[in-house]
Amino acid sequence: MKKYVIAALLVLAMCMTALAGCMRFLEKDVQVTLDSDGENWGCYTVNSFNNAIVPRPDVPEKFAGMTFIGWTAQENWEELEPNQIKVSANKEFIRYDDVKDYVKSGSITLYAAYVKVDLVIAWYDRHTSGTDSGLNEENMGAFKDNMYTYLASEGYTPENMYIDIRSYSGTVGASCEKIINDADVDIMVGWGNNLNSTGGIACVEKQGGIAIGSVSRYAASLNEKELTKLVFTWIKDTYTVNDVNA
């Protein structure tokens, strides 16, 4: 019996050693340098278990009138169409997943990308017992297809435009704070009637009973841009129902 216990302990020790080796492999550090139009915005270390909180760069004079859309490993991003630029999932947060496919020698430079943004639509990705937006990737994908068809009927070429349909999660206050910080959202869908009171969002117009997903919620326009007004009117005409879930 004692021999079996010793053998089991040896096997356990070997497994623990192998596991430790795997963990060390997964923790392989990547040195990330941030570059905005030739200006260094800092160096950070990321790995599978550690991400980096990074600054949002000021828009250089060269790109005046454009919007910072994120960090990219594509040094030639200025030569690409906006929709071809692959940027980080978050503007102020670099994950290992953002860089792992581009790293060759343990270090990488990411470049701040700036483009003329045509339209940004924020949708509420929240599903709790008290607050269910009814929205998900699937029904927002269908929404995008419908919107592109509509824009094409109005003479636009949406496939050549930079239209960002972006999810936000968390409480009303937390999600709206992110939207305020991003400062580029034109239309919001999926929140309740407390966008301004709880979220602090300055709405130009707000409409209840919008059922893009499984629940009717509110939509809000945040500015008077021509495209914002056009799409917001289409949303109201297409997705308004009588039932309103505040």
Side-chain angles (χ1 to χ4, degrees):
M1 185 69 176
K2 185 176 181 180
K3 292 181 180 179
Y4 291 119
V5 172
I6 294 174
L9 290 173
L10 287 173
V11 171
L12 179 61
M14 292 172 63
C15 290
M16 293 298 290
T17 300
L19 178 60
C22 290
M23 294 297 286
R24 283 193 294 271
F25 173 77
L26 290 173
E27 289 178 357
K28 184 177 180 180
D29 290 341
V30 175
Q31 306 302 316
V32 179
T33 300
L34 302 182
D35 179 291
S36 175
D37 194 33
E39 182 179 356
N40 188 303
W41 277 76
C43 298
Y44 301 86
T45 301
V46 300
N47 57 44
S48 295
F49 303 102
N50 295 286
N51 303 307
I53 298 175
V54 302
R56 183 194 298 255
D58 301 323
V59 179
E61 184 176 348
K62 173 182 176 181
F63 301 108
M66 298 186 181
T67 299
F68 169 63
I69 61 169
W71 300 97
T72 179
Q74 297 166 295
E75 187 175 0
N76 67 332
W77 66 269
E78 289 184 67
E79 303 170 10
L80 304 175
E81 293 296 328
N83 291 330
Q84 295 176 323
I85 304 173
K86 299 176 182 179
V87 296
S88 54
N90 192 293
K91 296 178 180 179
E92 299 174 345
F93 198 70
I94 301 298
R95 309 170 304 161
Y96 179 72
D97 284 349
D98 293 323
V99 300
K100 66 179 183 180
D101 293 333
Y102 306 99
V103 176
K104 294 181 180 179
S105 59
S107 64
I108 190 173
T109 297
L110 297 181
Y111 304 89
Y114 304 92
V115 303
K116 179 185 177 297
V117 175
D118 295 288
L119 184 70
V120 178
I121 297 179
W123 61 276
Y124 200 18
D125 187 10
R126 184 173 171 88
H127 308 279
T128 66
S129 57
T131 304
D132 185 358
S133 70
L135 301 179
N136 53 42
E137 295 285 352
E138 182 178 358
N139 51 45
M140 288 307 297
F143 167 85
K144 176 182 176 181
D145 291 341
N146 291 340
M147 182 178 66
Y148 275 32
T149 299
Y150 168 70
L151 289 175
S153 73
E154 292 292 317
Y156 290 86
T157 52
E159 62 275 9
N160 295 330
M161 300 167 67
Y162 193 90
I163 298 176
D164 191 1
I165 301 177
R166 186 188 305 158
S167 66
Y168 288 85
S169 58
T171 63
V172 171
S175 59
C176 288
E177 183 179 3
K178 295 174 187 175
I179 288 172
I180 292 170
N181 289 338
D182 283 344
D184 62 354
V185 172
D186 300 302
I187 295 172
M188 299 171 62
V189 295
W191 278 263
N193 193 27
N194 56 349
L195 276 173
N196 37 7
S197 58
T198 302
I201 296 291
C203 303
V204 171
E205 184 181 354
K206 188 167 54 174
Q207 173 68 46
I210 302 295
I212 295 172
S214 60
V215 180
S216 62
R217 300 286 283 173
Y218 276 76
S221 65
L222 307 189
N223 57 56
E224 296 279 5
K225 287 168 33 178
E226 180 181 348
L227 190 57
T228 299
K229 291 190 289 186
L230 180 70
V231 172
F232 190 71
T233 298
W234 171 76
I235 289 173
K236 292 188 296 181
D237 292 344
T238 305
Y239 292 100
T240 300
V241 297
N242 293 326
D243 178 37
V244 179
N245 182 353

Coordinates of all heavy atoms in Angstrom, one line a residue, residues 81-155:
E81 N -8.3 50.9 -46.3 CA -9.7 51.3 -46.1 C -10.0 51.2 -44.6 O -9.5 50.3 -43.9 CB -10.6 50.5 -46.9 CG -10.5 50.7 -48.4 CD -10.8 52.1 -48.9 OE1 -11.7 52.7 -48.3 OE2 -10.1 52.6 -49.8
P82 N -10.8 52.1 -44.1 CA -11.1 52.1 -42.6 C -11.6 50.7 -42.1 O -11.2 50.3 -41.1 CB -12.2 53.2 -42.5 CG -11.9 54.1 -43.6 CD -11.4 53.3 -44.7
N83 N -12.4 50.0 -42.9 CA -12.9 48.8 -42.5 C -11.9 47.6 -42.5 O -12.1 46.5 -42.0 CB -14.1 48.4 -43.3 CG -15.3 49.2 -43.1 OD1 -15.5 49.7 -42.0 ND2 -16.2 49.4 -44.1
Q84 N -10.7 47.9 -43.1 CA -9.6 46.9 -43.2 C -8.7 47.0 -42.0 O -7.8 46.2 -41.8 CB -8.8 47.1 -44.5 CG -9.6 46.8 -45.7 CD -8.8 47.1 -47.0 OE1 -8.0 48.0 -47.0 NE2 -9.0 46.2 -48.0
I85 N -8.8 48.1 -41.2 CA -7.9 48.3 -40.1 C -8.4 47.4 -38.9 O -9.5 47.5 -38.4 CB -7.9 49.8 -39.6 CG1 -7.5 50.7 -40.8 CG2 -6.9 50.0 -38.5 CD1 -7.6 52.2 -40.6
K86 N -7.5 46.6 -38.4 CA -7.8 45.7 -37.3 C -7.3 46.4 -36.0 O -6.1 46.5 -35.8 CB -7.1 44.3 -37.5 CG -7.6 43.6 -38.7 CD -6.9 42.3 -39.0 CE -7.4 41.6 -40.2 NZ -6.7 40.3 -40.5
V87 N -8.2 46.8 -35.2 CA -7.8 47.5 -34.0 C -8.1 46.7 -32.7 O -8.8 45.7 -32.7 CB -8.5 48.9 -33.9 CG1 -8.1 49.8 -35.0 CG2 -10.0 48.7 -33.9
S88 N -7.5 47.2 -31.6 CA -7.7 46.6 -30.3 C -9.2 46.6 -30.0 O -9.9 47.5 -30.4 CB -6.9 47.3 -29.2 OG -7.2 48.7 -29.2
A89 N -9.6 45.6 -29.2 CA -11.0 45.5 -28.8 C -11.5 46.7 -27.9 O -12.6 47.1 -27.9 CB -11.3 44.2 -28.0
N90 N -10.5 47.3 -27.2 CA -10.8 48.5 -26.4 C -9.8 49.6 -26.6 O -8.6 49.3 -26.8 CB -10.8 48.0 -24.9 CG -11.4 49.0 -24.0 OD1 -10.8 50.1 -23.8 ND2 -12.5 48.7 -23.4
K91 N -10.2 50.8 -26.6 CA -9.3 51.9 -26.8 C -8.3 52.2 -25.7 O -7.2 52.7 -25.9 CB -10.1 53.2 -27.1 CG -11.0 53.1 -28.3 CD -11.8 54.4 -28.5 CE -12.7 54.3 -29.7 NZ -13.5 55.6 -29.9
E92 N -8.7 51.8 -24.5 CA -7.9 52.1 -23.3 C -7.4 50.9 -22.6 O -7.1 50.9 -21.4 CB -8.6 53.0 -22.4 CG -9.0 54.4 -23.0 CD -9.9 55.2 -22.2 OE1 -10.4 54.7 -21.2 OE2 -10.0 56.4 -22.4
F93 N -7.4 49.7 -23.3 CA -7.2 48.5 -22.6 C -6.5 47.5 -23.7 O -7.2 47.2 -24.7 CB -8.5 47.9 -22.1 CG -8.4 46.8 -21.1 CD1 -7.9 47.1 -19.8 CD2 -8.7 45.5 -21.4 CE1 -7.9 46.1 -18.8 CE2 -8.6 44.5 -20.4 CZ -8.2 44.8 -19.1
I94 N -5.3 47.1 -23.5 CA -4.6 46.2 -24.4 C -4.6 44.8 -23.8 O -4.0 44.7 -22.7 CB -3.2 46.7 -24.7 CG1 -3.2 48.1 -25.3 CG2 -2.5 45.7 -25.6 CD1 -3.9 48.2 -26.6
R95 N -5.1 43.9 -24.5 CA -5.1 42.5 -24.0 C -4.1 41.7 -24.8 O -3.7 42.1 -25.9 CB -6.5 41.9 -24.2 CG -7.7 42.6 -23.7 CD -9.0 42.0 -24.2 NE -9.0 41.9 -25.7 CZ -9.8 41.1 -26.4 NH1 -10.6 40.3 -25.8 NH2 -9.7 41.1 -27.7
Y96 N -3.7 40.6 -24.2 CA -2.8 39.7 -24.9 C -3.4 39.2 -26.2 O -2.7 39.1 -27.2 CB -2.5 38.5 -24.0 CG -1.5 37.5 -24.6 CD1 -0.2 37.7 -24.7 CD2 -2.0 36.2 -25.0 CE1 0.7 36.8 -25.3 CE2 -1.2 35.3 -25.6 CZ 0.2 35.6 -25.7 OH 1.0 34.6 -26.3
D97 N -4.7 39.0 -26.2 CA -5.4 38.5 -27.4 C -5.3 39.6 -28.5 O -5.4 39.2 -29.7 CB -6.9 38.2 -27.1 CG -7.0 36.9 -26.4 OD1 -6.1 36.1 -26.3 OD2 -8.1 36.6 -25.9
D98 N -5.1 40.8 -28.2 CA -5.0 41.9 -29.2 C -3.6 41.8 -30.0 O -3.5 42.3 -31.1 CB -5.1 43.3 -28.6 CG -6.4 43.6 -28.0 OD1 -7.4 43.1 -28.6 OD2 -6.5 44.2 -26.9
V99 N -2.6 41.2 -29.4 CA -1.3 41.2 -30.0 C -0.7 39.8 -30.3 O 0.3 39.7 -31.0 CB -0.3 42.0 -29.0 CG1 -0.8 43.4 -28.8 CG2 -0.1 41.3 -27.7
K100 N -1.3 38.8 -29.7 CA -0.6 37.5 -29.8 C -0.4 37.0 -31.2 O 0.6 36.3 -31.5 CB -1.5 36.4 -29.0 CG -2.8 36.1 -29.6 CD -3.6 35.1 -28.8 CE -4.9 34.8 -29.5 NZ -5.7 33.7 -28.7
D101 N -1.2 37.3 -32.1 CA -1.1 36.9 -33.5 C -0.1 37.7 -34.3 O 0.2 37.3 -35.4 CB -2.4 36.9 -34.2 CG -3.5 35.9 -33.6 OD1 -3.0 34.9 -33.1 OD2 -4.7 36.2 -33.7
Y102 N 0.5 38.7 -33.7 CA 1.4 39.6 -34.5 C 2.8 39.6 -33.9 O 3.7 40.1 -34.5 CB 0.9 41.0 -34.5 CG -0.5 41.2 -35.0 CD1 -1.6 41.2 -34.1 CD2 -0.8 41.2 -36.4 CE1 -2.9 41.3 -34.6 CE2 -2.1 41.3 -36.8 CZ -3.2 41.4 -36.0 OH -4.4 41.4 -36.4
V103 N 3.0 39.0 -32.7 CA 4.2 39.0 -32.0 C 5.2 38.0 -32.6 O 4.8 36.9 -32.8 CB 4.1 38.7 -30.5 CG1 5.4 38.7 -29.8 CG2 3.2 39.8 -29.9
K104 N 6.4 38.4 -32.9 CA 7.4 37.5 -33.4 C 8.7 37.4 -32.5 O 9.3 36.3 -32.4 CB 7.9 38.0 -34.8 CG 6.8 38.0 -35.8 CD 7.3 38.5 -37.2 CE 6.2 38.5 -38.2 NZ 6.7 38.9 -39.6
S105 N 9.0 38.4 -31.8 CA 10.2 38.4 -30.9 C 10.0 38.9 -29.5 O 10.9 39.3 -28.9 CB 11.3 39.2 -31.6 OG 10.9 40.5 -31.7
G106 N 8.8 38.7 -29.0 CA 8.5 39.1 -27.6 C 8.2 40.6 -27.5 O 7.9 41.0 -26.3
S107 N 8.2 41.4 -28.5 CA 7.8 42.8 -28.5 C 7.1 43.2 -29.7 O 7.2 42.5 -30.8 CB 9.1 43.6 -28.3 OG 9.9 43.5 -29.4
I108 N 6.3 44.3 -29.6 CA 5.5 44.7 -30.7 C 5.2 46.2 -30.5 O 5.1 46.7 -29.4 CB 4.2 43.9 -30.8 CG1 3.4 44.2 -32.1 CG2 3.3 44.2 -29.6 CD1 2.2 43.3 -32.3
T109 N 5.0 46.9 -31.7 CA 4.6 48.3 -31.6 C 3.2 48.3 -32.2 O 2.8 47.8 -33.2 CB 5.5 49.2 -32.5 OG1 6.8 49.1 -32.0 CG2 5.0 50.6 -32.5
L110 N 2.3 49.0 -31.4 CA 0.9 49.3 -31.9 C 0.8 50.7 -32.2 O 1.3 51.6 -31.5 CB -0.1 48.9 -30.7 CG -0.1 47.4 -30.3 CD1 -1.2 47.2 -29.2 CD2 -0.3 46.5 -31.5
Y111 N 0.1 51.0 -33.3 CA -0.1 52.3 -33.8 C -1.5 52.8 -33.6 O -2.5 52.1 -33.8 CB 0.3 52.4 -35.3 CG 1.6 51.8 -35.6 CD1 1.9 50.5 -35.8 CD2 2.7 52.7 -35.6 CE1 3.1 50.0 -36.0 CE2 4.0 52.2 -35.8 CZ 4.2 50.9 -36.0 OH 5.5 50.4 -36.3
A112 N -1.6 54.1 -33.2 CA -2.9 54.7 -33.0 C -3.5 55.0 -34.4 O -2.9 55.6 -35.2 CB -2.8 56.0 -32.2
A113 N -4.8 54.5 -34.6 CA -5.4 54.6 -35.9 C -6.5 55.7 -35.8 O -7.3 55.7 -34.9 CB -6.0 53.3 -36.4
Y114 N -6.6 56.5 -36.8 CA -7.6 57.6 -36.8 C -8.3 57.5 -38.2 O -7.7 57.4 -39.2 CB -6.9 59.0 -36.7 CG -6.1 59.1 -35.5 CD1 -4.7 58.8 -35.5 CD2 -6.6 59.5 -34.3 CE1 -3.9 58.9 -34.4 CE2 -5.8 59.6 -33.1 CZ -4.5 59.3 -33.2 OH -3.7 59.4 -32.0
V115 N -9.6 57.6 -38.1 CA -10.4 57.6 -39.3 C -11.6 58.6 -39.2 O -12.0 59.0 -38.1 CB -11.0 56.2 -39.7 CG1 -9.9 55.2 -39.8 CG2 -12.0 55.7 -38.6
K116 N -12.2 58.9 -40.3 CA -13.5 59.6 -40.3 C -14.6 58.6 -40.0 O -14.9 57.8 -40.8 CB -13.7 60.3 -41.6 CG -15.0 61.1 -41.7 CD -15.2 61.7 -43.1 CE -16.5 62.4 -43.2 NZ -17.7 61.5 -43.0
V117 N -15.2 58.8 -38.9 CA -16.3 57.9 -38.5 C -17.6 58.4 -39.0 O -17.9 59.6 -38.7 CB -16.3 57.7 -37.0 CG1 -17.5 56.8 -36.5 CG2 -15.0 57.0 -36.5
D118 N -18.4 57.6 -39.7 CA -19.7 58.0 -40.2 C -20.8 57.9 -39.2 O -21.6 58.8 -39.1 CB -20.0 57.2 -41.5 CG -19.0 57.5 -42.6 OD1 -19.1 58.6 -43.2 OD2 -18.2 56.6 -42.9
L119 N -20.8 56.8 -38.4 CA -21.9 56.6 -37.5 C -21.5 55.6 -36.4 O -20.8 54.5 -36.8 CB -23.1 56.0 -38.3 CG -24.4 55.8 -37.5 CD1 -25.0 57.1 -37.1 CD2 -25.4 55.0 -38.3
V120 N -21.8 55.9 -35.2 CA -21.6 54.9 -34.1 C -22.9 54.6 -33.4 O -23.6 55.6 -32.9 CB -20.5 55.5 -33.1 CG1 -20.4 54.5 -31.9 CG2 -19.2 55.8 -33.7
I121 N -23.3 53.4 -33.3 CA -24.5 53.0 -32.6 C -24.1 52.1 -31.4 O -23.4 51.1 -31.6 CB -25.4 52.2 -33.6 CG1 -25.9 53.1 -34.7 CG2 -26.6 51.6 -32.8 CD1 -26.8 52.4 -35.7
A122 N -24.5 52.5 -30.3 CA -24.2 51.7 -29.0 C -25.4 50.9 -28.7 O -26.5 51.3 -28.7 CB -23.8 52.7 -27.9
W123 N -25.1 49.6 -28.3 CA -26.2 48.8 -27.9 C -25.9 48.2 -26.5 O -24.8 47.9 -26.2 CB -26.6 47.7 -28.9 CG -25.5 46.6 -29.2 CD1 -24.5 46.8 -30.1 CD2 -25.4 45.3 -28.6 NE1 -23.8 45.6 -30.2 CE2 -24.3 44.7 -29.3 CE3 -26.1 44.6 -27.7 CZ2 -23.8 43.4 -29.0 CZ3 -25.6 43.3 -27.4 CH2 -24.5 42.8 -28.0
Y124 N -27.0 48.0 -25.7 CA -26.8 47.6 -24.3 C -26.7 46.1 -24.2 O -27.7 45.4 -24.4 CB -28.0 48.2 -23.5 CG -27.7 48.3 -22.0 CD1 -26.5 48.2 -21.5 CD2 -28.8 48.4 -21.2 CE1 -26.3 48.3 -20.1 CE2 -28.7 48.5 -19.8 CZ -27.4 48.5 -19.3 OH -27.2 48.6 -17.9
D125 N -25.6 45.6 -23.8 CA -25.4 44.1 -23.6 C -25.5 43.8 -22.2 O -24.5 43.6 -21.5 CB -24.0 43.8 -24.2 CG -23.8 42.3 -24.2 OD1 -24.7 41.5 -24.0 OD2 -22.6 41.9 -24.4
R126 N -26.8 43.7 -21.7 CA -27.0 43.5 -20.3 C -28.2 42.5 -20.2 O -29.3 42.7 -20.7 CB -27.3 44.7 -19.5 CG -27.4 44.5 -18.0 CD -27.5 45.9 -17.3 NE -27.9 45.8 -15.9 CZ -27.0 45.6 -14.9 NH1 -25.7 45.5 -15.1 NH2 -27.4 45.5 -13.6
H127 N -28.0 41.5 -19.4 CA -29.0 40.4 -19.2 C -29.1 40.0 -17.8 O -28.4 39.0 -17.4 CB -28.7 39.2 -20.2 CG -28.5 39.7 -21.6 ND1 -29.6 39.9 -22.5 CD2 -27.4 39.9 -22.3 CE1 -29.1 40.3 -23.6 NE2 -27.8 40.3 -23.6
T128 N -29.8 40.7 -16.9 CA -30.0 40.3 -15.6 C -31.5 40.2 -15.3 O -32.3 40.6 -16.1 CB -29.4 41.4 -14.6 OG1 -30.1 42.6 -14.7 CG2 -27.9 41.6 -15.0
S129 N -31.8 39.7 -14.1 CA -33.2 39.6 -13.8 C -33.9 40.9 -13.7 O -35.1 41.0 -14.0 CB -33.4 38.9 -12.4 OG -32.7 39.6 -11.4
G130 N -33.2 42.0 -13.4 CA -33.8 43.3 -13.3 C -33.7 44.1 -14.6 O -34.6 44.9 -14.8
T131 N -32.7 43.8 -15.4 CA -32.5 44.6 -16.6 C -32.1 43.6 -17.7 O -31.0 43.2 -17.7 CB -31.4 45.7 -16.4 OG1 -31.8 46.5 -15.3 CG2 -31.3 46.5 -17.6
D132 N -33.0 43.4 -18.7 CA -32.6 42.6 -19.8 C -32.9 43.5 -21.1 O -34.0 43.8 -21.4 CB -33.5 41.3 -19.9 CG -33.1 40.4 -21.0 OD1 -32.2 40.8 -21.8 OD2 -33.7 39.3 -21.1
S133 N -31.8 43.8 -21.8 CA -32.0 44.6 -23.0 C -32.6 43.9 -24.1 O -33.1 44.5 -25.1 CB -30.6 45.1 -23.4 OG -29.8 44.1 -23.9
G134 N -32.6 42.5 -24.1 CA -33.1 41.8 -25.2 C -32.2 41.7 -26.4 O -32.6 41.2 -27.4
L135 N -31.0 42.3 -26.3 CA -30.1 42.5 -27.4 C -28.9 41.5 -27.3 O -28.5 41.3 -26.2 CB -29.6 43.9 -27.6 CG -30.7 45.0 -27.7 CD1 -30.1 46.3 -27.8 CD2 -31.6 44.7 -29.0
N136 N -28.5 41.0 -28.4 CA -27.3 40.1 -28.5 C -26.7 40.3 -29.8 O -27.1 41.0 -30.7 CB -27.7 38.7 -28.2 CG -28.8 38.2 -29.1 OD1 -28.8 38.4 -30.3 ND2 -29.7 37.4 -28.5
E137 N -25.6 39.5 -30.0 CA -24.8 39.6 -31.3 C -25.7 39.2 -32.5 O -25.6 39.8 -33.6 CB -23.6 38.8 -31.2 CG -22.5 39.2 -30.2 CD -21.7 40.4 -30.6 OE1 -21.9 40.8 -31.8 OE2 -21.0 40.9 -29.8
E138 N -26.5 38.2 -32.3 CA -27.3 37.7 -33.4 C -28.4 38.8 -33.9 O -28.4 39.1 -35.1 CB -28.1 36.5 -33.0 CG -28.9 35.9 -34.1 CD -29.6 34.5 -33.7 OE1 -29.4 34.1 -32.6 OE2 -30.3 34.0 -34.5
N139 N -29.2 39.3 -32.9 CA -30.2 40.3 -33.4 C -29.6 41.6 -33.8 O -30.2 42.3 -34.6 CB -31.4 40.4 -32.4 CG -30.9 40.7 -31.0 OD1 -30.1 41.5 -30.8 ND2 -31.6 40.0 -30.1
M140 N -28.4 42.0 -33.3 CA -27.8 43.2 -33.7 C -27.1 43.0 -35.1 O -27.0 43.9 -35.8 CB -26.7 43.6 -32.7 CG -27.3 44.2 -31.4 SD -28.6 45.5 -31.6 CE -27.6 46.8 -32.4
G141 N -26.7 41.8 -35.4 CA -26.3 41.5 -36.7 C -27.4 41.6 -37.8 O -27.2 42.2 -38.8
A142 N -28.6 41.2 -37.4 CA -29.7 41.3 -38.3 C -30.1 42.8 -38.4 O -30.4 43.3 -39.5 CB -30.9 40.5 -37.7
F143 N -30.0 43.5 -37.3 CA -30.2 45.0 -37.3 C -29.3 45.7 -38.3 O -29.7 46.5 -39.1 CB -30.1 45.5 -35.9 CG -30.0 47.0 -35.9 CD1 -31.2 47.8 -35.8 CD2 -28.8 47.7 -35.8 CE1 -31.1 49.2 -35.8 CE2 -28.7 49.1 -35.8 CZ -29.9 49.8 -35.7
K144 N -28.0 45.3 -38.2 CA -27.0 45.9 -39.1 C -27.3 45.6 -40.6 O -27.3 46.5 -41.4 CB -25.6 45.3 -38.8 CG -24.5 45.8 -39.7 CD -23.2 45.1 -39.4 CE -22.1 45.5 -40.4 NZ -20.8 44.9 -40.1
D145 N -27.7 44.4 -40.9 CA -28.0 44.0 -42.3 C -29.2 44.9 -42.8 O -29.2 45.4 -43.9 CB -28.4 42.6 -42.4 CG -27.2 41.7 -42.2 OD1 -26.0 42.2 -42.3 OD2 -27.4 40.5 -41.9
N146 N -30.2 45.0 -41.9 CA -31.4 45.8 -42.3 C -31.1 47.3 -42.5 O -31.5 47.9 -43.4 CB -32.5 45.7 -41.2 CG -33.1 44.3 -41.1 OD1 -33.0 43.5 -42.1 ND2 -33.7 44.0 -40.0
M147 N -30.2 47.8 -41.6 CA -29.8 49.2 -41.7 C -29.0 49.5 -43.0 O -29.2 50.5 -43.7 CB -29.0 49.6 -40.5 CG -28.6 51.1 -40.5 SD -27.7 51.6 -39.0 CE -26.2 50.6 -39.2
Y148 N -28.1 48.5 -43.3 CA -27.3 48.7 -44.5 C -28.2 48.7 -45.8 O -28.0 49.4 -46.7 CB -26.3 47.6 -44.6 CG -25.0 47.8 -43.8 CD1 -25.0 48.6 -42.7 CD2 -23.8 47.3 -44.3 CE1 -23.8 48.9 -42.0 CE2 -22.6 47.6 -43.6 CZ -22.6 48.4 -42.5 OH -21.4 48.7 -41.8
T149 N -29.2 47.8 -45.8 CA -30.1 47.8 -46.9 C -30.9 49.1 -47.0 O -31.0 49.6 -48.1 CB -31.1 46.6 -46.7 OG1 -30.4 45.4 -46.7 CG2 -32.2 46.6 -47.8
Y150 N -31.3 49.6 -45.9 CA -32.0 50.9 -45.9 C -31.1 52.0 -46.4 O -31.5 52.8 -47.2 CB -32.5 51.2 -44.5 CG -33.0 52.7 -44.3 CD1 -34.1 53.1 -45.0 CD2 -32.2 53.6 -43.6 CE1 -34.6 54.4 -44.9 CE2 -32.7 54.9 -43.5 CZ -33.8 55.3 -44.2 OH -34.2 56.6 -44.1
L151 N -29.8 52.1 -45.9 CA -28.9 53.1 -46.3 C -28.6 53.1 -47.8 O -28.5 54.1 -48.5 CB -27.6 53.0 -45.5 CG -27.7 53.4 -44.0 CD1 -26.4 53.2 -43.3 CD2 -28.1 54.9 -43.9
A152 N -28.5 51.9 -48.3 CA -28.3 51.7 -49.7 C -29.5 52.2 -50.5 O -29.3 52.8 -51.6 CB -28.0 50.2 -50.0
S153 N -30.7 52.0 -50.0 CA -31.9 52.5 -50.7 C -31.9 54.0 -50.7 O -32.6 54.7 -51.5 CB -33.1 51.9 -50.0 OG -33.4 52.6 -48.7
E154 N -31.2 54.7 -49.7 CA -31.2 56.1 -49.6 C -30.0 56.7 -50.4 O -29.7 57.9 -50.2 CB -31.1 56.5 -48.1 CG -32.4 56.2 -47.4 CD -33.5 57.1 -47.8 OE1 -33.3 58.3 -48.0 OE2 -34.7 56.6 -48.0
G155 N -29.2 55.9 -51.1 CA -28.1 56.4 -51.9 C -26.8 56.3 -51.2 O -25.8 56.8 -51.8

